[in-house]
Amino acid sequence: MTASTASLEQLRRCHFAVDLGAARTRVYVKGVGLVVDQPSAAAVNTRTGALIAVGELAEKMTGRTPAFIRVVRPISGGTVVDIEMAQRMLRHLLGDKIRRALRRKPRLRAAVCTPHGADPLAQRAAIETLVGLGARRVELVDTLIAAAVGCELPVEQPEATMIMVCGAHATQVAVLSLGSIVTAERIPVGGEAVDHAIVQLLRHQHELMLPSQSVRPLQLALSGNGLTAQGPTSTEIHGRDVATGLARSVRVDTAAVRDAIQTPLTAVLDGIGKVLRDCPPDLVADLADRGIMMVGGSALLPGFDQMLRQATGMPVHIAERPGECAVQGLGTMLEGRIEPMSLHSTSSD
């Protein structure tokens, strides 16, 4: 088992790779591709301990179950907080067919993403989760590197690239050059903090409680020009009245929603500022042209990219499928499709 970031040579020997996210879990099998992309949730019967559902179905059950069924999330902020439950969830998500195919491999090897600066306990939890699935050796890969490879940034070149991984629990920002991280910052604010800000706004201003599933539709209602002043002025939201407990719908002013989510997003801007301040000036000059690449599920937050453009004055791009970048990056490394930059020593004639 390794507790250091793996080399490309070690990753080529791996048979499968896992991206354990707070919101979604993704699994890539070498030679097959992405086989699992499901919410990191499991529904458990607390009386018997039996697993009732995992993934999409468990997510749908959130807030809709009788008292003896509990929906748990074994992964929080990219760290496995319940190893046994994470193993059970992964077993079910993979299914018998894929598990049988993996078990046939001699000395099964796995790769897993860990957040930048993850402490040894978090690394150990990720390793043990995959060892429980039969992996004999587990390689750790920094999420920032995997995501940069996944969205085809020229990470191995001697030029700066800036990547921002927008997760559910945290946002990670880094400047990469020559295949390594030059400076990085982990900001404990993610998509969930934004959701929470919206829920609190509706509770205080409109005395409306939102079901856990309906923050996303509110964000979608704001999409397009959502978080900019050109967007729709108001949108209708359904929820439950705090006082009476009855269903009620209100028209919400989108400008108020924009203000509410500015607070968590300001922390992200501070983090970007710190990374740029710690970065050598030559690399910052590269970034002025190339800008920031946004990946991760929360990168699609309506108008977030425009807000970053205004605040930094740099170009901001969102990856094509931002949520899948890290796992596709792992896949690229497993399949050996990335070449490290080779430095040929000059021979004197």
Side-chain angles (χ1 to χ4, degrees), residues 237-294:
I237 293 294
H238 306 284
R240 191 179 82 185
D241 191 288
V242 172
T244 64
L246 299 174
R248 183 162 71 90
S249 60
V250 292
R251 285 209 78 76
V252 181
D253 183 22
T254 49
V257 176
R258 279 201 296 277
D259 291 345
I261 65 179
Q262 287 286 348
T263 312
L265 295 183
T266 306
V268 175
L269 293 177
D270 291 347
I272 292 173
K274 187 173 188 312
V275 167
L276 290 171
R277 281 196 301 279
D278 294 347
C279 193
D282 291 11
L283 294 181
V284 176
D286 285 353
L287 294 173
D289 303 330
R290 185 163 294 126
I292 305 170
M293 177 65 82
M294 293 173 71

Short mmCIF file of all heavy atoms in Angstrom, two decimals, residues 237-294:
data_model
loop_
_atom_site.label_atom_id
_atom_site.label_comp_id
_atom_site.label_asym_id
_atom_site.label_seq_id
_atom_site.Cartn_x
_atom_site.Cartn_y
_atom_site.Cartn_z
N ILE A 237 -41.41 29.06 -6.02
CA ILE A 237 -40.84 27.94 -5.27
C ILE A 237 -41.93 27.33 -4.38
O ILE A 237 -42.69 28.05 -3.73
CB ILE A 237 -39.67 28.44 -4.37
CG1 ILE A 237 -38.50 28.90 -5.24
CG2 ILE A 237 -39.20 27.37 -3.41
CD1 ILE A 237 -37.84 27.80 -6.03
N HIS A 238 -41.97 26.00 -4.35
CA HIS A 238 -42.94 25.29 -3.49
C HIS A 238 -42.23 24.76 -2.26
O HIS A 238 -41.11 24.28 -2.36
CB HIS A 238 -43.59 24.13 -4.25
CG HIS A 238 -44.19 24.54 -5.55
ND1 HIS A 238 -45.39 25.21 -5.62
CD2 HIS A 238 -43.75 24.42 -6.83
CE1 HIS A 238 -45.67 25.47 -6.89
NE2 HIS A 238 -44.67 25.02 -7.64
N GLY A 239 -42.91 24.84 -1.12
CA GLY A 239 -42.33 24.31 0.11
C GLY A 239 -43.39 24.18 1.18
O GLY A 239 -44.59 24.11 0.88
N ARG A 240 -42.94 24.14 2.43
CA ARG A 240 -43.87 23.96 3.54
C ARG A 240 -43.80 25.18 4.45
O ARG A 240 -42.70 25.63 4.77
CB ARG A 240 -43.49 22.70 4.31
CG ARG A 240 -44.54 22.27 5.32
CD ARG A 240 -44.11 21.01 6.02
NE ARG A 240 -43.20 21.34 7.12
CZ ARG A 240 -42.59 20.43 7.86
NH1 ARG A 240 -42.73 19.17 7.59
NH2 ARG A 240 -41.80 20.80 8.84
N ASP A 241 -44.95 25.69 4.83
CA ASP A 241 -45.00 26.85 5.72
C ASP A 241 -44.43 26.47 7.09
O ASP A 241 -44.80 25.45 7.67
CB ASP A 241 -46.46 27.32 5.87
CG ASP A 241 -46.51 28.67 6.57
OD1 ASP A 241 -46.26 28.71 7.78
OD2 ASP A 241 -46.81 29.68 5.90
N VAL A 242 -43.51 27.28 7.61
CA VAL A 242 -42.86 26.98 8.89
C VAL A 242 -43.89 26.93 10.02
O VAL A 242 -43.85 26.06 10.89
CB VAL A 242 -41.77 28.03 9.21
CG1 VAL A 242 -41.23 27.85 10.61
CG2 VAL A 242 -40.64 27.94 8.19
N ALA A 243 -44.84 27.88 10.02
CA ALA A 243 -45.80 27.97 11.13
C ALA A 243 -46.92 26.93 11.03
O ALA A 243 -47.17 26.19 11.98
CB ALA A 243 -46.40 29.37 11.16
N THR A 244 -47.56 26.82 9.86
CA THR A 244 -48.74 25.96 9.76
C THR A 244 -48.41 24.53 9.34
O THR A 244 -49.20 23.61 9.56
CB THR A 244 -49.74 26.52 8.71
OG1 THR A 244 -49.10 26.50 7.42
CG2 THR A 244 -50.13 27.94 9.05
N GLY A 245 -47.24 24.35 8.71
CA GLY A 245 -46.89 23.01 8.23
C GLY A 245 -47.58 22.65 6.93
O GLY A 245 -47.44 21.53 6.43
N LEU A 246 -48.35 23.58 6.36
CA LEU A 246 -49.07 23.30 5.11
C LEU A 246 -48.21 23.66 3.90
O LEU A 246 -47.31 24.49 3.99
CB LEU A 246 -50.38 24.10 5.07
CG LEU A 246 -51.38 23.83 6.19
CD1 LEU A 246 -52.55 24.79 6.11
CD2 LEU A 246 -51.88 22.38 6.11
N ALA A 247 -48.54 23.01 2.77
CA ALA A 247 -47.82 23.30 1.53
C ALA A 247 -48.17 24.72 1.07
O ALA A 247 -49.30 25.16 1.19
CB ALA A 247 -48.21 22.29 0.46
N ARG A 248 -47.15 25.42 0.54
CA ARG A 248 -47.36 26.79 0.11
C ARG A 248 -46.33 27.12 -0.97
O ARG A 248 -45.23 26.55 -0.97
CB ARG A 248 -47.16 27.71 1.33
CG ARG A 248 -47.40 29.19 1.09
CD ARG A 248 -47.60 29.89 2.44
NE ARG A 248 -46.39 29.99 3.23
CZ ARG A 248 -45.54 31.02 3.17
NH1 ARG A 248 -45.76 32.01 2.33
NH2 ARG A 248 -44.48 31.06 3.93
N SER A 249 -46.69 28.00 -1.87
CA SER A 249 -45.68 28.43 -2.86
C SER A 249 -45.51 29.94 -2.78
O SER A 249 -46.48 30.66 -2.49
CB SER A 249 -46.08 28.00 -4.27
OG SER A 249 -47.30 28.58 -4.62
N VAL A 250 -44.29 30.39 -3.00
CA VAL A 250 -44.01 31.83 -2.95
C VAL A 250 -43.21 32.23 -4.19
O VAL A 250 -42.52 31.40 -4.78
CB VAL A 250 -43.19 32.23 -1.69
CG1 VAL A 250 -43.97 32.06 -0.43
CG2 VAL A 250 -41.87 31.47 -1.63
N ARG A 251 -43.32 33.51 -4.55
CA ARG A 251 -42.46 34.03 -5.62
C ARG A 251 -41.21 34.62 -4.97
O ARG A 251 -41.30 35.47 -4.09
CB ARG A 251 -43.19 35.09 -6.43
CG ARG A 251 -44.22 34.50 -7.36
CD ARG A 251 -44.44 35.35 -8.60
NE ARG A 251 -43.39 35.21 -9.61
CZ ARG A 251 -43.29 34.15 -10.43
NH1 ARG A 251 -44.14 33.14 -10.33
NH2 ARG A 251 -42.34 34.08 -11.33
N VAL A 252 -40.08 34.15 -5.38
CA VAL A 252 -38.82 34.58 -4.76
C VAL A 252 -38.09 35.52 -5.70
O VAL A 252 -37.96 35.25 -6.90
CB VAL A 252 -37.93 33.35 -4.46
CG1 VAL A 252 -36.64 33.79 -3.80
CG2 VAL A 252 -38.67 32.37 -3.57
N ASP A 253 -37.60 36.61 -5.14
CA ASP A 253 -36.84 37.59 -5.90
C ASP A 253 -35.43 37.03 -6.14
O ASP A 253 -34.71 36.72 -5.18
CB ASP A 253 -36.77 38.89 -5.07
CG ASP A 253 -36.05 39.98 -5.81
OD1 ASP A 253 -35.99 39.90 -7.05
OD2 ASP A 253 -35.55 40.91 -5.16
N THR A 254 -35.06 36.85 -7.40
CA THR A 254 -33.76 36.21 -7.68
C THR A 254 -32.58 37.08 -7.24
O THR A 254 -31.51 36.56 -6.95
CB THR A 254 -33.61 35.86 -9.18
OG1 THR A 254 -33.96 36.99 -9.95
CG2 THR A 254 -34.49 34.69 -9.55
N ALA A 255 -32.78 38.40 -7.19
CA ALA A 255 -31.69 39.28 -6.72
C ALA A 255 -31.34 38.94 -5.28
O ALA A 255 -30.16 38.92 -4.89
CB ALA A 255 -32.11 40.73 -6.84
N ALA A 256 -32.38 38.61 -4.47
CA ALA A 256 -32.14 38.25 -3.06
C ALA A 256 -31.35 36.94 -2.98
O ALA A 256 -30.48 36.78 -2.12
CB ALA A 256 -33.48 38.11 -2.32
N VAL A 257 -31.67 36.00 -3.88
CA VAL A 257 -30.95 34.72 -3.90
C VAL A 257 -29.49 34.97 -4.28
O VAL A 257 -28.57 34.42 -3.66
CB VAL A 257 -31.61 33.72 -4.89
CG1 VAL A 257 -30.81 32.43 -4.98
CG2 VAL A 257 -33.04 33.43 -4.49
N ARG A 258 -29.28 35.84 -5.25
CA ARG A 258 -27.89 36.17 -5.66
C ARG A 258 -27.10 36.72 -4.47
O ARG A 258 -25.98 36.32 -4.23
CB ARG A 258 -27.90 37.20 -6.79
CG ARG A 258 -28.16 36.62 -8.16
CD ARG A 258 -27.66 37.56 -9.25
NE ARG A 258 -28.37 38.83 -9.28
CZ ARG A 258 -29.53 39.02 -9.88
NH1 ARG A 258 -30.12 38.02 -10.49
NH2 ARG A 258 -30.12 40.19 -9.87
N ASP A 259 -27.74 37.63 -3.71
CA ASP A 259 -27.06 38.22 -2.55
C ASP A 259 -26.74 37.15 -1.51
O ASP A 259 -25.67 37.16 -0.90
CB ASP A 259 -27.93 39.31 -1.90
CG ASP A 259 -28.05 40.54 -2.80
OD1 ASP A 259 -27.24 40.63 -3.75
OD2 ASP A 259 -28.95 41.37 -2.58
N ALA A 260 -27.69 36.22 -1.30
CA ALA A 260 -27.52 35.20 -0.26
C ALA A 260 -26.32 34.30 -0.56
O ALA A 260 -25.59 33.92 0.34
CB ALA A 260 -28.79 34.36 -0.13
N ILE A 261 -26.14 33.98 -1.84
CA ILE A 261 -25.05 33.04 -2.13
C ILE A 261 -23.71 33.74 -2.39
O ILE A 261 -22.70 33.08 -2.54
CB ILE A 261 -25.39 32.09 -3.30
CG1 ILE A 261 -25.55 32.82 -4.60
CG2 ILE A 261 -26.63 31.29 -3.00
CD1 ILE A 261 -25.85 31.91 -5.75
N GLN A 262 -23.73 35.08 -2.37
CA GLN A 262 -22.45 35.80 -2.51
C GLN A 262 -21.53 35.47 -1.34
O GLN A 262 -20.32 35.35 -1.52
CB GLN A 262 -22.69 37.33 -2.52
CG GLN A 262 -23.31 37.87 -3.77
CD GLN A 262 -22.35 37.91 -4.95
OE1 GLN A 262 -21.16 37.75 -4.77
NE2 GLN A 262 -22.87 38.11 -6.14
N THR A 263 -22.11 35.33 -0.14
CA THR A 263 -21.28 35.15 1.06
C THR A 263 -20.41 33.89 0.97
O THR A 263 -19.20 33.98 1.09
CB THR A 263 -22.15 35.11 2.33
OG1 THR A 263 -23.05 36.21 2.25
CG2 THR A 263 -21.32 35.21 3.58
N PRO A 264 -21.00 32.69 0.71
CA PRO A 264 -20.11 31.52 0.60
C PRO A 264 -19.15 31.64 -0.59
O PRO A 264 -18.00 31.21 -0.50
CB PRO A 264 -21.05 30.34 0.42
CG PRO A 264 -22.39 30.89 0.10
CD PRO A 264 -22.42 32.28 0.66
N LEU A 265 -19.61 32.25 -1.69
CA LEU A 265 -18.74 32.32 -2.86
C LEU A 265 -17.58 33.30 -2.68
O LEU A 265 -16.54 33.15 -3.30
CB LEU A 265 -19.55 32.69 -4.11
CG LEU A 265 -20.60 31.65 -4.54
CD1 LEU A 265 -21.29 32.08 -5.82
CD2 LEU A 265 -19.99 30.27 -4.72
N THR A 266 -17.76 34.27 -1.78
CA THR A 266 -16.67 35.22 -1.50
C THR A 266 -15.47 34.48 -0.90
O THR A 266 -14.31 34.81 -1.19
CB THR A 266 -17.14 36.33 -0.54
OG1 THR A 266 -18.31 36.91 -1.10
CG2 THR A 266 -16.10 37.41 -0.36
N ALA A 267 -15.73 33.48 -0.07
CA ALA A 267 -14.65 32.69 0.54
C ALA A 267 -13.83 32.00 -0.56
O ALA A 267 -12.61 31.88 -0.46
CB ALA A 267 -15.23 31.65 1.49
N VAL A 268 -14.52 31.56 -1.62
CA VAL A 268 -13.82 30.90 -2.74
C VAL A 268 -12.92 31.92 -3.45
O VAL A 268 -11.77 31.62 -3.78
CB VAL A 268 -14.85 30.29 -3.73
CG1 VAL A 268 -14.14 29.73 -4.96
CG2 VAL A 268 -15.66 29.21 -3.04
N LEU A 269 -13.43 33.14 -3.63
CA LEU A 269 -12.62 34.18 -4.28
C LEU A 269 -11.37 34.51 -3.45
O LEU A 269 -10.30 34.72 -4.00
CB LEU A 269 -13.46 35.46 -4.48
CG LEU A 269 -14.62 35.35 -5.47
CD1 LEU A 269 -15.40 36.65 -5.50
CD2 LEU A 269 -14.11 35.03 -6.85
N ASP A 270 -11.53 34.52 -2.12
CA ASP A 270 -10.38 34.77 -1.24
C ASP A 270 -9.31 33.70 -1.44
O ASP A 270 -8.11 33.98 -1.48
CB ASP A 270 -10.81 34.79 0.24
CG ASP A 270 -11.66 36.02 0.55
OD1 ASP A 270 -11.70 36.94 -0.29
OD2 ASP A 270 -12.31 36.04 1.62
N GLY A 271 -9.78 32.44 -1.56
CA GLY A 271 -8.85 31.31 -1.76
C GLY A 271 -8.09 31.44 -3.07
O GLY A 271 -6.87 31.20 -3.12
N ILE A 272 -8.79 31.86 -4.12
CA ILE A 272 -8.13 32.05 -5.43
C ILE A 272 -7.07 33.16 -5.31
O ILE A 272 -5.95 33.02 -5.81
CB ILE A 272 -9.16 32.40 -6.52
CG1 ILE A 272 -10.07 31.21 -6.79
CG2 ILE A 272 -8.48 32.85 -7.81
CD1 ILE A 272 -11.23 31.48 -7.72
N GLY A 273 -7.44 34.23 -4.61
CA GLY A 273 -6.49 35.34 -4.41
C GLY A 273 -5.23 34.88 -3.70
O GLY A 273 -4.12 35.24 -4.09
N LYS A 274 -5.40 34.00 -2.70
CA LYS A 274 -4.24 33.53 -1.93
C LYS A 274 -3.33 32.67 -2.81
O LYS A 274 -2.10 32.80 -2.78
CB LYS A 274 -4.72 32.71 -0.72
CG LYS A 274 -3.60 32.32 0.21
CD LYS A 274 -4.10 31.67 1.49
CE LYS A 274 -2.99 31.45 2.50
NZ LYS A 274 -1.79 30.82 1.97
N VAL A 275 -3.93 31.80 -3.63
CA VAL A 275 -3.13 30.95 -4.53
C VAL A 275 -2.33 31.81 -5.49
O VAL A 275 -1.14 31.57 -5.72
CB VAL A 275 -4.04 29.96 -5.30
CG1 VAL A 275 -3.30 29.29 -6.44
CG2 VAL A 275 -4.60 28.90 -4.35
N LEU A 276 -2.97 32.85 -6.04
CA LEU A 276 -2.26 33.72 -7.00
C LEU A 276 -1.14 34.50 -6.32
O LEU A 276 -0.08 34.72 -6.90
CB LEU A 276 -3.25 34.67 -7.68
CG LEU A 276 -4.22 34.01 -8.66
CD1 LEU A 276 -5.30 34.99 -9.10
CD2 LEU A 276 -3.49 33.45 -9.87
N ARG A 277 -1.38 34.91 -5.06
CA ARG A 277 -0.34 35.66 -4.33
C ARG A 277 0.88 34.78 -4.05
O ARG A 277 2.01 35.26 -4.03
CB ARG A 277 -0.90 36.22 -3.02
CG ARG A 277 -1.72 37.47 -3.19
CD ARG A 277 -1.93 38.20 -1.87
NE ARG A 277 -2.61 37.39 -0.87
CZ ARG A 277 -3.93 37.21 -0.80
NH1 ARG A 277 -4.71 37.77 -1.72
NH2 ARG A 277 -4.47 36.48 0.15
N ASP A 278 0.63 33.48 -3.81
CA ASP A 278 1.74 32.56 -3.49
C ASP A 278 2.45 32.03 -4.73
O ASP A 278 3.40 31.25 -4.62
CB ASP A 278 1.21 31.35 -2.68
CG ASP A 278 0.69 31.77 -1.32
OD1 ASP A 278 0.97 32.92 -0.92
OD2 ASP A 278 -0.01 30.97 -0.66
N CYS A 279 1.97 32.40 -5.91
CA CYS A 279 2.46 31.81 -7.15
C CYS A 279 3.58 32.66 -7.74
O CYS A 279 3.50 33.88 -7.70
CB CYS A 279 1.27 31.74 -8.11
SG CYS A 279 1.57 30.74 -9.52
N PRO A 280 4.65 32.05 -8.30
CA PRO A 280 5.72 32.85 -8.93
C PRO A 280 5.16 33.73 -10.06
O PRO A 280 4.27 33.30 -10.79
CB PRO A 280 6.66 31.78 -9.51
CG PRO A 280 6.35 30.54 -8.76
CD PRO A 280 4.92 30.62 -8.36
N PRO A 281 5.69 34.96 -10.21
CA PRO A 281 5.13 35.91 -11.18
C PRO A 281 5.11 35.39 -12.62
O PRO A 281 4.20 35.67 -13.37
CB PRO A 281 6.04 37.14 -11.07
CG PRO A 281 6.98 36.89 -9.96
CD PRO A 281 6.76 35.54 -9.40
N ASP A 282 6.11 34.58 -13.02
CA ASP A 282 6.15 34.07 -14.40
C ASP A 282 4.92 33.20 -14.68
O ASP A 282 4.36 33.24 -15.77
CB ASP A 282 7.41 33.22 -14.64
CG ASP A 282 8.66 34.08 -14.63
OD1 ASP A 282 8.54 35.26 -14.24
OD2 ASP A 282 9.74 33.58 -14.99
N LEU A 283 4.55 32.42 -13.68
CA LEU A 283 3.39 31.54 -13.87
C LEU A 283 2.08 32.34 -13.87
O LEU A 283 1.16 32.01 -14.61
CB LEU A 283 3.35 30.46 -12.78
CG LEU A 283 4.49 29.43 -12.81
CD1 LEU A 283 4.33 28.41 -11.70
CD2 LEU A 283 4.57 28.72 -14.15
N VAL A 284 2.02 33.39 -13.06
CA VAL A 284 0.81 34.23 -13.03
C VAL A 284 0.61 34.88 -14.41
O VAL A 284 -0.52 35.01 -14.90
CB VAL A 284 0.89 35.31 -11.92
CG1 VAL A 284 -0.32 36.23 -11.98
CG2 VAL A 284 0.95 34.64 -10.55
N ALA A 285 1.72 35.25 -15.06
CA ALA A 285 1.63 35.85 -16.41
C ALA A 285 1.02 34.84 -17.39
O ALA A 285 0.20 35.20 -18.23
CB ALA A 285 3.02 36.27 -16.87
N ASP A 286 1.40 33.55 -17.27
CA ASP A 286 0.79 32.49 -18.12
C ASP A 286 -0.72 32.43 -17.88
O ASP A 286 -1.51 32.28 -18.80
CB ASP A 286 1.35 31.10 -17.76
CG ASP A 286 2.76 30.89 -18.27
OD1 ASP A 286 3.24 31.76 -19.02
OD2 ASP A 286 3.36 29.85 -17.94
N LEU A 287 -1.09 32.53 -16.60
CA LEU A 287 -2.51 32.36 -16.23
C LEU A 287 -3.37 33.49 -16.77
O LEU A 287 -4.55 33.29 -17.04
CB LEU A 287 -2.65 32.28 -14.71
CG LEU A 287 -2.02 31.04 -14.06
CD1 LEU A 287 -2.08 31.16 -12.55
CD2 LEU A 287 -2.72 29.77 -14.52
N ALA A 288 -2.80 34.68 -16.91
CA ALA A 288 -3.58 35.82 -17.42
C ALA A 288 -4.16 35.50 -18.79
O ALA A 288 -5.27 35.92 -19.12
CB ALA A 288 -2.71 37.06 -17.48
N ASP A 289 -3.42 34.71 -19.59
CA ASP A 289 -3.92 34.32 -20.92
C ASP A 289 -4.80 33.09 -20.84
O ASP A 289 -5.85 33.02 -21.47
CB ASP A 289 -2.74 33.99 -21.87
CG ASP A 289 -1.78 35.15 -21.99
OD1 ASP A 289 -2.25 36.30 -21.85
OD2 ASP A 289 -0.57 34.92 -22.20
N ARG A 290 -4.35 32.12 -20.06
CA ARG A 290 -5.04 30.83 -20.09
C ARG A 290 -6.26 30.80 -19.16
O ARG A 290 -7.26 30.16 -19.45
CB ARG A 290 -4.07 29.72 -19.70
CG ARG A 290 -4.70 28.37 -19.83
CD ARG A 290 -3.73 27.24 -19.85
NE ARG A 290 -2.89 27.30 -21.03
CZ ARG A 290 -1.57 27.30 -20.99
NH1 ARG A 290 -0.96 27.30 -19.84
NH2 ARG A 290 -0.87 27.33 -22.08
N GLY A 291 -6.14 31.46 -18.01
CA GLY A 291 -7.28 31.55 -17.10
C GLY A 291 -7.47 30.34 -16.22
O GLY A 291 -6.54 29.56 -15.98
N ILE A 292 -8.70 30.19 -15.72
CA ILE A 292 -9.03 29.15 -14.72
C ILE A 292 -9.93 28.11 -15.37
O ILE A 292 -10.88 28.46 -16.08
CB ILE A 292 -9.78 29.78 -13.52
CG1 ILE A 292 -8.98 30.93 -12.91
CG2 ILE A 292 -10.09 28.73 -12.45
CD1 ILE A 292 -9.76 31.75 -11.89
N MET A 293 -9.64 26.83 -15.13
CA MET A 293 -10.53 25.76 -15.59
C MET A 293 -11.33 25.26 -14.40
O MET A 293 -10.76 24.86 -13.38
CB MET A 293 -9.69 24.62 -16.18
CG MET A 293 -10.51 23.41 -16.61
SD MET A 293 -11.64 23.75 -17.97
CE MET A 293 -10.54 23.61 -19.38
N MET A 294 -12.66 25.31 -14.52
CA MET A 294 -13.53 24.87 -13.42
C MET A 294 -14.00 23.44 -13.68
O MET A 294 -14.49 23.13 -14.76
CB MET A 294 -14.75 25.78 -13.31
CG MET A 294 -14.43 27.18 -12.86
SD MET A 294 -15.88 28.24 -12.96
CE MET A 294 -16.89 27.64 -11.63
#
